[in-house]
Amino acid sequence: MPNIGVPGLIIILVIALIVFGPAKLPQLGKAVGETLREFKKSTKDIVEDVTEEFKTEDKEK
């Protein structure tokens, strides 16, 4: 994924402001934040499960 940079972020924020309006932006930001938080938590849980499984297999051998 290419780096967006500051100018790209500004353009994205301006487009979001035009499309959703200033009243909906805080709600949209909150929803995106919660989605990212849940994704990170799920990813961490999966990595921990896989790591634990490998440790269990190593102990059995």
Side-chain angles (χ1 to χ4, degrees), residues 1-36:
M1 176 184 262
N3 291 336
I4 295 175
V6 176
L9 286 176
I10 292 172
I11 292 172
I12 291 171
L13 289 174
V14 168
I15 291 172
L17 182 61
I18 292 170
V19 172
F20 296 108
K24 293 286 183 178
L25 282 183
Q27 294 172 348
L28 183 64
K30 182 179 177 182
V32 169
E34 289 174 356
T35 302
L36 287 175

Side-chain angles (χ1 to χ4, degrees), residues 45-61:
D45 289 344
I46 290 171
V47 169
E48 288 175 355
D49 288 345
V50 170
T51 304
E52 185 177 312
E53 185 67 31
F54 280 122
K55 286 180 182 178
T56 304
E57 288 179 7
D58 286 343
K59 287 181 182 179
E60 291 176 357
K61 290 181 180 179

